[in-house]
Coordinates of all heavy atoms in Angstrom, one line a residue:
A10 N 41.3 -2.7 -31.9 CA 40.7 -3.8 -32.6 C 39.5 -4.4 -31.8 O 38.5 -4.7 -32.3 CB 41.6 -4.9 -33.0
A11 N 39.8 -4.6 -30.5 CA 38.7 -5.2 -29.6 C 37.5 -4.2 -29.5 O 36.4 -4.7 -29.5 CB 39.3 -5.5 -28.2
A12 N 37.8 -2.9 -29.4 CA 36.7 -1.9 -29.4 C 35.9 -2.0 -30.6 O 34.6 -1.9 -30.6 CB 37.2 -0.6 -29.1
R13 N 36.5 -2.1 -31.8 CA 35.8 -2.1 -33.0 C 34.9 -3.4 -33.1 O 33.8 -3.3 -33.5 CB 36.8 -2.1 -34.2 CG 36.1 -2.0 -35.5 CD 37.0 -1.9 -36.7 NE 38.3 -1.2 -36.4 CZ 39.5 -1.7 -36.9 NH1 39.6 -2.7 -37.7 NH2 40.6 -1.0 -36.5
A14 N 35.5 -4.5 -32.6 CA 34.7 -5.8 -32.6 C 33.5 -5.7 -31.7 O 32.4 -6.2 -32.0 CB 35.6 -6.9 -32.2
A15 N 33.7 -5.0 -30.6 CA 32.6 -4.8 -29.6 C 31.5 -4.0 -30.2 O 30.3 -4.3 -30.1 CB 33.1 -4.2 -28.3
R16 N 31.9 -2.9 -30.9 CA 30.9 -2.0 -31.6 C 30.1 -2.8 -32.7 O 28.9 -2.7 -32.8 CB 31.6 -0.8 -32.2 CG 31.8 0.3 -31.1 CD 32.2 1.6 -31.8 NE 33.3 1.5 -32.7 CZ 34.6 1.7 -32.4 NH1 34.9 2.0 -31.2 NH2 35.6 1.6 -33.3
R17 N 30.8 -3.6 -33.4 CA 30.2 -4.4 -34.5 C 29.3 -5.4 -33.9 O 28.2 -5.6 -34.4 CB 31.3 -5.1 -35.3 CG 30.7 -5.9 -36.5 CD 31.8 -6.5 -37.3 NE 32.5 -5.6 -38.0 CZ 33.9 -5.6 -38.2 NH1 34.5 -6.7 -37.8 NH2 34.6 -4.7 -38.8
A18 N 29.7 -6.0 -32.8 CA 28.8 -7.0 -32.1 C 27.5 -6.3 -31.6 O 26.4 -6.9 -31.7 CB 29.5 -7.6 -31.0
M19 N 27.6 -5.1 -31.1 CA 26.4 -4.4 -30.6 C 25.5 -4.1 -31.8 O 24.3 -4.1 -31.7 CB 26.8 -3.1 -29.9 CG 27.4 -3.3 -28.5 SD 27.9 -1.8 -27.7 CE 26.7 -0.6 -28.2
R20 N 26.1 -3.8 -33.0 CA 25.2 -3.5 -34.1 C 24.5 -4.7 -34.7 O 23.5 -4.7 -35.2 CB 26.1 -2.8 -35.2 CG 26.4 -1.4 -34.9 CD 27.1 -0.7 -36.0 NE 27.7 0.5 -35.6 CZ 29.0 0.8 -35.7 NH1 29.8 -0.1 -36.3 NH2 29.5 1.9 -35.3
M21 N 25.2 -5.8 -34.5 CA 24.7 -7.0 -35.1 C 23.8 -7.9 -34.2 O 23.5 -9.0 -34.5 CB 25.9 -7.9 -35.6 CG 26.8 -7.2 -36.6 SD 25.9 -6.9 -38.2 CE 26.0 -8.6 -38.8
V22 N 23.6 -7.4 -33.0 CA 22.8 -8.2 -32.0 C 21.5 -8.6 -32.5 O 21.1 -9.7 -32.5 CB 22.7 -7.4 -30.6 CG1 21.7 -8.1 -29.7 CG2 24.1 -7.3 -30.0
N23 N 20.7 -7.6 -32.9 CA 19.4 -7.8 -33.4 C 19.4 -7.8 -35.0 O 20.0 -6.9 -35.5 CB 18.4 -6.7 -33.0 CG 18.2 -6.7 -31.5 OD1 18.3 -7.8 -30.9 ND2 18.1 -5.6 -30.9
S24 N 18.9 -8.8 -35.5 CA 18.8 -8.9 -37.0 C 17.4 -8.9 -37.4 O 16.5 -9.4 -36.8 CB 19.5 -10.1 -37.5 OG 18.9 -11.2 -37.0
S25 N 17.2 -8.3 -38.6 CA 15.8 -8.2 -39.2 C 15.5 -9.6 -39.8 O 16.3 -10.5 -39.9 CB 15.8 -7.1 -40.3 OG 16.6 -7.5 -41.3
P26 N 14.2 -9.7 -40.2 CA 13.8 -11.0 -40.8 C 14.6 -11.4 -42.0 O 14.7 -12.5 -42.3 CB 12.3 -10.7 -41.1 CG 11.9 -9.6 -40.3 CD 13.1 -8.8 -40.0
R27 N 15.1 -10.4 -42.7 CA 15.9 -10.7 -43.9 C 17.4 -10.9 -43.6 O 18.3 -10.9 -44.4 CB 15.8 -9.6 -44.9 CG 14.4 -9.5 -45.4 CD 14.3 -8.3 -46.4 NE 12.9 -8.2 -46.8 CZ 12.5 -7.1 -47.4 NH1 13.3 -6.1 -47.7 NH2 11.2 -7.0 -47.7
D28 N 17.7 -11.0 -42.3 CA 19.1 -11.2 -41.8 C 20.0 -10.1 -42.2 O 21.2 -10.2 -42.4 CB 19.7 -12.5 -42.3 CG 19.0 -13.7 -41.6 OD1 18.6 -13.5 -40.5 OD2 18.9 -14.7 -42.3
M29 N 19.4 -8.9 -42.3 CA 20.2 -7.7 -42.6 C 20.6 -7.1 -41.2 O 19.8 -7.1 -40.3 CB 19.4 -6.7 -43.4 CG 19.1 -7.2 -44.8 SD 18.1 -6.0 -45.8 CE 19.2 -4.6 -45.7
P30 N 21.8 -6.6 -41.1 CA 22.2 -6.0 -39.8 C 21.3 -4.8 -39.5 O 21.0 -4.0 -40.4 CB 23.6 -5.6 -40.0 CG 23.9 -5.8 -41.4 CD 22.9 -6.6 -42.0
R31 N 21.0 -4.6 -38.2 CA 20.2 -3.5 -37.7 C 20.9 -2.9 -36.6 O 21.4 -3.5 -35.7 CB 18.8 -4.0 -37.3 CG 17.9 -2.8 -37.1 CD 16.5 -3.3 -36.8 NE 16.5 -4.1 -35.5 CZ 15.4 -4.6 -35.1 NH1 14.3 -4.6 -35.7 NH2 15.5 -5.3 -33.9
F32 N 21.0 -1.5 -36.6 CA 21.8 -0.9 -35.5 C 21.1 -1.0 -34.2 O 19.8 -0.7 -34.1 CB 22.0 0.6 -35.9 CG 22.6 1.4 -34.8 CD1 24.0 1.2 -34.6 CD2 22.0 2.2 -34.0 CE1 24.7 1.9 -33.6 CE2 22.6 2.9 -33.0 CZ 24.0 2.8 -32.7
C33 N 21.8 -1.3 -33.1 CA 21.2 -1.4 -31.8 C 22.2 -0.7 -30.9 O 23.3 -1.2 -30.6 CB 21.1 -2.9 -31.4 SG 20.5 -3.1 -29.7
P34 N 21.9 0.5 -30.3 CA 22.7 1.2 -29.5 C 23.1 0.6 -28.2 O 24.0 1.0 -27.5 CB 22.0 2.5 -29.3 CG 20.6 2.2 -29.4 CD 20.5 1.1 -30.4
Y35 N 22.4 -0.5 -27.8 CA 22.6 -1.1 -26.5 C 22.6 -2.6 -26.7 O 21.9 -3.1 -27.7 CB 21.6 -0.7 -25.5 CG 20.2 -0.8 -25.9 CD1 19.5 -2.0 -25.8 CD2 19.5 0.2 -26.5 CE1 18.2 -2.2 -26.2 CE2 18.3 0.1 -27.0 CZ 17.6 -1.1 -26.8 OH 16.3 -1.2 -27.3
P36 N 23.2 -3.4 -25.9 CA 23.2 -4.8 -26.0 C 21.8 -5.4 -25.7 O 21.1 -4.8 -24.8 CB 24.2 -5.4 -25.0 CG 24.6 -4.2 -24.1 CD 24.1 -3.0 -24.8
A37 N 21.4 -6.4 -26.4 CA 20.0 -6.9 -26.3 C 20.0 -7.7 -24.9 O 21.0 -8.3 -24.6 CB 19.7 -7.9 -27.4
R38 N 18.9 -7.5 -24.2 CA 18.7 -8.2 -22.9 C 17.4 -8.9 -22.9 O 16.4 -8.5 -23.6 CB 18.7 -7.2 -21.8 CG 20.1 -6.6 -21.6 CD 20.0 -5.6 -20.4 NE 20.9 -4.5 -20.8 CZ 20.8 -3.3 -20.3 NH1 19.8 -3.1 -19.4 NH2 21.6 -2.3 -20.6
M39 N 17.3 -9.9 -22.1 CA 16.0 -10.6 -22.0 C 15.0 -9.7 -21.2 O 15.5 -9.0 -20.2 CB 16.2 -11.9 -21.2 CG 17.0 -12.9 -22.0 SD 16.1 -13.5 -23.5 CE 14.8 -14.4 -22.7
A40 N 13.8 -9.7 -21.5 CA 12.8 -9.0 -20.8 C 12.5 -9.7 -19.5 O 12.5 -10.9 -19.5 CB 11.5 -8.7 -21.6
E41 N 12.1 -8.9 -18.5 CA 11.7 -9.5 -17.2 C 10.3 -10.0 -17.4 O 9.4 -9.3 -17.9 CB 11.7 -8.5 -16.2 CG 11.4 -9.0 -14.8 CD 11.4 -8.0 -13.7 OE1 12.0 -6.9 -13.9 OE2 10.9 -8.2 -12.6
I42 N 10.1 -11.2 -17.0 CA 8.7 -11.8 -17.1 C 7.9 -11.4 -16.0 O 8.3 -11.5 -14.8 CB 8.8 -13.4 -17.2 CG1 9.5 -13.8 -18.4 CG2 7.4 -14.0 -17.2 CD1 9.8 -15.2 -18.5
V43 N 6.7 -10.8 -16.2 CA 5.8 -10.3 -15.2 C 4.5 -11.0 -15.2 O 3.9 -11.1 -16.3 CB 5.6 -8.8 -15.5 CG1 4.7 -8.2 -14.4 CG2 6.9 -8.0 -15.4
N44 N 4.0 -11.4 -14.1 CA 2.7 -12.0 -14.0 C 1.7 -10.9 -13.7 O 1.8 -10.2 -12.7 CB 2.7 -13.0 -12.8 CG 1.4 -13.8 -12.7 OD1 0.4 -13.3 -13.2 ND2 1.4 -14.9 -12.1
L45 N 0.9 -10.7 -14.7 CA 0.0 -9.5 -14.7 C -1.0 -9.6 -13.6 O -1.4 -8.6 -13.0 CB -0.7 -9.4 -16.0 CG 0.3 -9.0 -17.2 CD1 -0.5 -9.0 -18.5 CD2 1.0 -7.8 -17.0
N46 N -1.5 -10.8 -13.2 CA -2.4 -11.0 -12.1 C -1.7 -10.5 -10.8 O -2.4 -9.9 -10.0 CB -2.9 -12.4 -12.0 CG -3.9 -12.8 -13.0 OD1 -4.6 -11.9 -13.5 ND2 -3.9 -14.0 -13.5
R47 N -0.5 -10.9 -10.6 CA 0.2 -10.5 -9.4 C 0.4 -9.0 -9.3 O 0.2 -8.4 -8.2 CB 1.6 -11.2 -9.3 CG 1.5 -12.6 -8.9 CD 2.9 -13.2 -8.7 NE 2.8 -14.6 -8.4 CZ 3.9 -15.4 -8.3 NH1 5.1 -14.9 -8.6 NH2 3.7 -16.6 -8.1
V48 N 0.7 -8.4 -10.4 CA 0.9 -7.0 -10.5 C -0.4 -6.3 -10.2 O -0.5 -5.3 -9.4 CB 1.4 -6.5 -11.8 CG1 1.4 -5.0 -12.0 CG2 2.8 -7.1 -12.1
R49 N -1.5 -6.7 -10.8 CA -2.8 -6.1 -10.5 C -3.3 -6.2 -9.1 O -3.7 -5.3 -8.5 CB -3.8 -6.8 -11.4 CG -5.3 -6.3 -11.3 CD -6.3 -7.1 -12.2 NE -6.2 -8.5 -12.1 CZ -6.7 -9.3 -11.2 NH1 -7.4 -8.7 -10.2 NH2 -6.6 -10.6 -11.2
K50 N -3.1 -7.4 -8.5 CA -3.4 -7.7 -7.1 C -2.5 -6.8 -6.1 O -3.1 -6.3 -5.1 CB -3.4 -9.2 -6.8 CG -4.5 -9.9 -7.5 CD -4.4 -11.4 -7.1 CE -5.4 -12.2 -7.8 NZ -5.4 -13.6 -7.5
A51 N -1.3 -6.7 -6.5 CA -0.4 -6.0 -5.6 C -0.8 -4.5 -5.7 O -0.8 -3.8 -4.7 CB 1.1 -6.1 -6.1
K52 N -1.2 -4.0 -6.8 CA -1.6 -2.6 -7.0 C -2.9 -2.4 -6.2 O -3.0 -1.4 -5.5 CB -1.9 -2.3 -8.5 CG -2.2 -0.9 -8.8 CD -2.3 -0.7 -10.3 CE -2.8 0.7 -10.6 NZ -3.0 0.9 -12.0
A53 N -3.8 -3.4 -6.2 CA -5.0 -3.2 -5.4 C -4.8 -3.3 -3.9 O -5.4 -2.6 -3.2 CB -6.0 -4.4 -5.8
R54 N -3.8 -4.1 -3.5 CA -3.4 -4.2 -2.1 C -2.9 -2.8 -1.6 O -3.2 -2.3 -0.5 CB -2.5 -5.3 -1.8 CG -3.1 -6.6 -1.7 CD -2.1 -7.7 -1.1 NE -1.0 -7.9 -1.9 CZ -0.8 -8.7 -2.9 NH1 -1.9 -9.5 -3.2 NH2 0.2 -8.8 -3.7
D55 N -2.0 -2.3 -2.4 CA -1.4 -1.0 -2.1 C -2.5 0.1 -2.0 O -2.4 1.0 -1.0 CB -0.4 -0.5 -3.1 CG 0.9 -1.4 -3.0 OD1 1.1 -2.0 -1.9 OD2 1.7 -1.4 -4.0
A56 N -3.4 0.1 -2.9 CA -4.5 1.1 -2.8 C -5.4 0.9 -1.6 O -5.7 1.8 -0.9 CB -5.4 1.0 -4.1
A57 N -5.6 -0.3 -1.2 CA -6.4 -0.7 0.0 C -5.7 -0.2 1.3 O -6.2 0.3 2.2 CB -6.7 -2.1 0.1
R58 N -4.3 -0.4 1.3 CA -3.5 0.1 2.4 C -3.6 1.6 2.5 O -3.7 2.1 3.6 CB -2.1 -0.4 2.2 CG -1.8 -1.8 2.5 CD -0.4 -2.2 2.6 NE -0.2 -3.6 2.6 CZ 0.3 -4.3 1.6 NH1 0.7 -3.7 0.5 NH2 0.4 -5.6 1.6
Q59 N -3.5 2.3 1.4 CA -3.5 3.8 1.4 C -4.9 4.2 1.9 O -5.0 5.1 2.7 CB -3.2 4.3 0.1 CG -1.8 4.2 -0.3 CD -1.5 4.7 -1.7 OE1 -2.4 5.1 -2.5 NE2 -0.2 4.7 -2.1
Q60 N -6.0 3.6 1.5 CA -7.3 3.9 1.9 C -7.5 3.7 3.4 O -8.1 4.5 4.1 CB -8.3 3.2 1.1 CG -9.8 3.5 1.4 CD -10.1 4.9 1.0 OE1 -9.7 5.4 0.0 NE2 -10.9 5.6 1.8
A61 N -7.0 2.5 3.9 CA -7.1 2.2 5.3 C -6.3 3.2 6.1 O -6.8 3.6 7.2 CB -6.5 0.8 5.5
A62 N -5.2 3.6 5.7 CA -4.4 4.6 6.4 C -5.2 6.0 6.5 O -5.2 6.6 7.5 CB -3.0 4.8 5.8
A63 N -5.8 6.4 5.4 CA -6.6 7.6 5.3 C -7.8 7.5 6.3 O -8.1 8.4 7.0 CB -7.0 7.9 3.9
N64 N -8.4 6.3 6.3 CA -9.6 6.1 7.2 C -9.1 6.1 8.7 O -9.9 6.7 9.5 CB -10.3 4.8 6.8 CG -11.0 4.9 5.6 OD1 -11.4 5.9 5.1 ND2 -11.4 3.7 5.0
R65 N -8.0 5.5 8.9 CA -7.5 5.6 10.3 C -7.3 7.0 10.8 O -7.6 7.4 11.9 CB -6.3 4.7 10.5 CG -6.5 3.3 10.5 CD -5.3 2.5 11.0 NE -4.1 2.7 10.1 CZ -3.9 2.0 9.1 NH1 -4.6 1.0 8.8 NH2 -2.8 2.2 8.3
A66 N -6.7 7.8 9.9 CA -6.4 9.2 10.2 C -7.7 10.0 10.4 O -7.7 10.9 11.2 CB -5.5 9.8 9.2
K67 N -8.6 9.7 9.6 CA -9.9 10.4 9.6 C -10.8 10.1 10.7 O -11.4 10.9 11.4 CB -10.6 10.2 8.3 CG -11.9 11.0 8.1 CD -12.4 10.8 6.6 CE -13.7 11.6 6.4 NZ -14.2 11.3 5.1
H68 N -11.0 8.8 10.9 CA -12.0 8.3 11.9 C -11.4 7.6 13.2 O -12.1 7.4 14.1 CB -12.8 7.2 11.3 CG -13.6 7.7 10.1 ND1 -14.6 8.6 10.1 CD2 -13.4 7.4 8.8 CE1 -15.0 8.9 8.9 NE2 -14.3 8.2 8.0
G69 N -10.1 7.3 13.2 CA -9.5 6.6 14.3 C -9.2 7.5 15.5 O -9.2 8.7 15.4
R70 N -9.1 6.8 16.7 CA -8.7 7.5 17.9 C -7.4 6.9 18.4 O -7.2 5.7 18.2 CB -9.8 7.4 18.9 CG -11.1 8.0 18.5 CD -12.1 7.9 19.6 NE -12.4 6.5 19.9 CZ -12.9 6.1 21.0 NH1 -13.3 6.9 21.9 NH2 -13.1 4.8 21.2
T71 N -6.6 7.7 19.1 CA -5.4 7.2 19.6 C -5.7 6.4 20.9 O -6.8 6.6 21.5 CB -4.4 8.3 19.9 OG1 -5.0 9.2 21.0 CG2 -4.1 9.2 18.7
A72 N -4.8 5.7 21.4 CA -4.9 4.9 22.6 C -5.2 5.8 23.8 O -6.0 5.6 24.7 CB -3.7 4.0 22.9
A73 N -4.5 7.0 23.8 CA -4.7 8.0 24.9 C -6.1 8.5 24.9 O -6.7 8.7 26.0 CB -3.7 9.1 24.7
E74 N -6.6 8.8 23.7 CA -8.0 9.3 23.6 C -9.0 8.3 24.2 O -10.0 8.6 24.9 CB -8.4 9.7 22.2 CG -7.7 10.9 21.7 CD -7.9 11.1 20.2 OE1 -8.2 10.2 19.5 OE2 -7.7 12.3 19.8
R75 N -8.8 6.9 23.8 CA -9.7 5.9 24.3 C -9.6 5.7 25.8 O -10.6 5.6 26.5 CB -9.4 4.6 23.6 CG -9.8 4.6 22.2 CD -9.8 3.2 21.6 NE -8.4 2.6 21.6 CZ -7.5 2.7 20.6 NH1 -7.8 3.3 19.5 NH2 -6.3 2.2 20.7
A76 N -8.3 5.8 26.4 CA -8.2 5.7 27.8 C -8.8 6.8 28.5 O -9.5 6.6 29.6 CB -6.7 5.6 28.1
R77 N -8.7 8.1 28.0 CA -9.3 9.2 28.6 C -10.8 9.1 28.6 O -11.4 9.4 29.6 CB -8.8 10.5 27.9 CG -9.2 11.8 28.5 CD -8.6 13.0 27.8 NE -8.5 12.9 26.4 CZ -7.3 12.9 25.7 NH1 -6.2 13.0 26.3 NH2 -7.3 12.9 24.4
E78 N -11.4 8.6 27.5 CA -12.8 8.5 27.5 C -13.3 7.4 28.5 O -14.3 7.5 29.1 CB -13.2 8.1 26.0 CG -14.8 8.1 25.9 CD -15.2 7.8 24.5 OE1 -14.4 8.2 23.6 OE2 -16.2 7.2 24.3
Q79 N -12.5 6.3 28.6 CA -12.9 5.2 29.5 C -12.9 5.7 30.9 O -13.7 5.4 31.8 CB -12.0 4.0 29.3 CG -12.4 2.8 30.2 CD -11.4 1.6 29.9 OE1 -10.5 1.7 29.1 NE2 -11.8 0.5 30.5
E80 N -11.8 6.5 31.3 CA -11.8 7.1 32.7 C -12.9 8.1 32.9 O -13.6 8.1 34.0 CB -10.5 7.8 32.9 CG -9.2 6.9 32.9 CD -7.9 7.7 32.8 OE1 -7.9 8.9 32.8 OE2 -6.9 7.0 32.8
A81 N -13.3 8.9 31.9 CA -14.4 9.8 32.1 C -15.7 9.0 32.3 O -16.5 9.4 33.1 CB -14.5 10.7 30.9
R82 N -15.9 8.0 31.5 CA -17.0 7.1 31.7 C -17.1 6.5 33.1 O -18.2 6.4 33.7 CB -17.1 6.1 30.6 CG -18.4 5.3 30.6 CD -18.5 4.2 29.5 NE -18.2 4.7 28.2 CZ -17.2 4.3 27.4 NH1 -16.5 3.4 27.7 NH2 -17.1 4.9 26.2
A83 N -16.0 6.0 33.6 CA -16.0 5.4 34.9 C -16.3 6.5 36.0 O -17.0 6.2 36.9 CB -14.6 4.8 35.2
R84 N -15.8 7.7 35.9 CA -16.1 8.8 36.8 C -17.6 9.1 36.8 O -18.2 9.2 37.8 CB -15.3 10.0 36.5 CG -13.9 10.0 37.1 CD -13.2 11.3 37.0 NE -13.2 12.0 35.7 CZ -12.3 11.8 34.8 NH1 -11.2 11.1 35.1 NH2 -12.4 12.4 33.7
R85 N -18.1 9.2 35.6 CA -19.6 9.5 35.4 C -20.4 8.4 36.1 O -21.4 8.7 36.8 CB -19.9 9.6 33.9 CG -20.7 10.7 33.5 CD -21.0 10.8 32.0 NE -20.8 9.7 31.2 CZ -19.9 9.5 30.3 NH1 -19.1 10.5 30.0 NH2 -19.8 8.4 29.6
D86 N -20.1 7.2 35.8 CA -20.8 6.1 36.4 C -20.7 6.0 37.9 O -21.7 5.7 38.7 CB -20.4 4.7 35.9 CG -20.7 4.5 34.4 OD1 -21.6 5.3 33.9 OD2 -20.1 3.6 33.7
A87 N -19.6 6.4 38.5 CA -19.4 6.4 39.9 C -20.2 7.5 40.5 O -20.8 7.3 41.6 CB -17.9 6.6 40.3
V88 N -20.3 8.7 39.9 CA -21.1 9.8 40.4 C -22.6 9.4 40.4 O -23.3 9.6 41.3 CB -20.9 11.1 39.6 CG1 -21.9 12.1 39.9 CG2 -19.5 11.6 39.9
L89 N -23.0 8.8 39.3 CA -24.4 8.3 39.2 C -24.7 7.3 40.2 O -25.8 7.3 40.8 CB -24.7 7.8 37.8 CG -25.1 8.8 36.7 CD1 -25.2 8.1 35.4 CD2 -26.3 9.6 37.0
D90 N -23.9 6.3 40.4 CA -24.1 5.3 41.4 C -24.1 5.9 42.8 O -24.9 5.4 43.7 CB -23.0 4.2 41.3 CG -23.3 3.3 40.1 OD1 -24.3 3.4 39.5 OD2 -22.3 2.6 39.7
G91 N -23.3 6.9 43.0 CA -23.3 7.5 44.4 C -24.6 8.3 44.7 O -25.0 8.5 45.8
Q92 N -25.3 8.8 43.7 CA -26.5 9.6 43.9 C -27.7 8.7 43.7 O -28.9 9.2 43.9 CB -26.6 10.7 42.9 CG -25.5 11.7 43.1 CD -25.5 12.8 42.1 OE1 -26.3 12.8 41.1 NE2 -24.6 13.9 42.3
R93 N -27.6 7.4 43.5 CA -28.8 6.5 43.3 C -29.5 6.3 44.7 O -28.9 6.2 45.8 CB -28.3 5.2 42.8 CG -29.5 4.2 42.6 CD -29.0 3.0 41.9 NE -28.7 3.4 40.6 CZ -28.2 2.5 39.7 NH1 -28.2 1.3 40.0 NH2 -27.9 2.9 38.5
L94 N -30.8 6.4 44.6 CA -31.7 6.2 45.8 C -32.0 4.7 45.8 O -32.3 4.0 44.8 CB -33.0 7.0 45.7 CG -32.8 8.5 45.6 CD1 -34.1 9.1 45.4 CD2 -32.2 9.0 46.9
D95 N -31.9 4.1 47.1 CA -32.1 2.7 47.2 C -33.6 2.4 46.9 O -34.0 1.4 46.2 CB -31.8 2.2 48.6 CG -30.2 2.2 48.7 OD1 -29.5 2.1 47.7 OD2 -29.7 2.4 49.8
D96 N -34.5 3.1 47.6 CA -35.9 2.9 47.5 C -36.5 4.1 46.9 O -36.3 5.2 47.3 CB -36.6 2.6 48.9 CG -36.1 1.3 49.5 OD1 -35.8 0.4 48.7 OD2 -35.9 1.2 50.7
P97 N -37.3 3.9 45.8 CA -38.0 5.1 45.3 C -39.0 5.6 46.3 O -39.6 4.9 47.1 CB -38.7 4.5 44.1 CG -38.8 3.1 44.2 CD -37.7 2.7 45.2
P98 N -39.2 7.0 46.3 CA -40.1 7.5 47.3 C -41.6 7.1 47.1 O -42.0 6.9 45.9 CB -40.0 9.0 47.1 CG -39.4 9.2 45.7 CD -38.6 7.9 45.5
A99 N -42.3 6.8 48.2 CA -43.7 6.3 48.1 C -44.6 7.5 47.8 O -44.4 8.6 48.4 CB -44.1 5.6 49.3
R100 N -45.6 7.3 47.0 CA -46.6 8.4 46.7 C -47.8 8.3 47.5 O -48.5 7.6 47.9 CB -46.8 8.4 45.2 CG -45.6 9.0 44.5 CD -46.0 9.1 43.1 NE -44.8 9.5 42.4 CZ -44.8 10.2 41.2 NH1 -45.9 10.4 40.6 NH2 -43.7 10.5 40.7

């Protein structure tokens, strides 16, 4: 009897404008309220994060690469400074 009452309640959950019973295979639930501006902005932020990650992979350098380049620059400058003449030759 309880199962029959539950099935009847499920069918009678939604009623038409004329108050005629309408079959509903699932119990009626409230819809989740969504702020469309927040959804749009969140979607834009996600797209920007994905673009930034792609740019970092495409154009970025690792810390090891930057350190290696800085050491090479320091060696190059030291060699140049070691070969510098104090006084230019007179003509």
Side-chain angles (χ1 to χ4, degrees):
R13 189 178 328 141
R16 282 194 303 269
R17 182 178 296 143
M19 282 179 38
R20 287 186 192 123
M21 300 293 285
V22 167
N23 295 328
S24 60
S25 67
R27 296 182 185 163
D28 291 327
M29 293 177 59
R31 191 172 67 180
F32 176 73
C33 180
Y35 51 88
R38 294 183 215 154
M39 294 292 292
E41 181 181 350
I42 298 174
V43 177
N44 185 334
L45 297 178
N46 283 331
R47 284 186 184 172
V48 171
R49 177 181 49 83
K50 289 178 182 182
K52 184 177 177 182
R54 279 193 299 271
D55 288 341
R58 283 189 193 110
Q59 289 177 354
Q60 183 66 40
N64 287 343
R65 281 193 301 272
K67 184 176 179 182
H68 301 292
R70 296 183 300 163
T71 64
E74 290 172 338
R75 287 193 299 269
R77 189 172 36 245
E78 184 177 330
Q79 185 177 3
E80 290 170 3
R82 186 179 305 123
R84 280 195 303 271
R85 223 178 21 245
D86 291 345
V88 168
L89 276 175
D90 287 343
Q92 293 179 354
R93 181 173 291 183
L94 299 174
D95 290 333
D96 294 325
R100 290 188 181 198

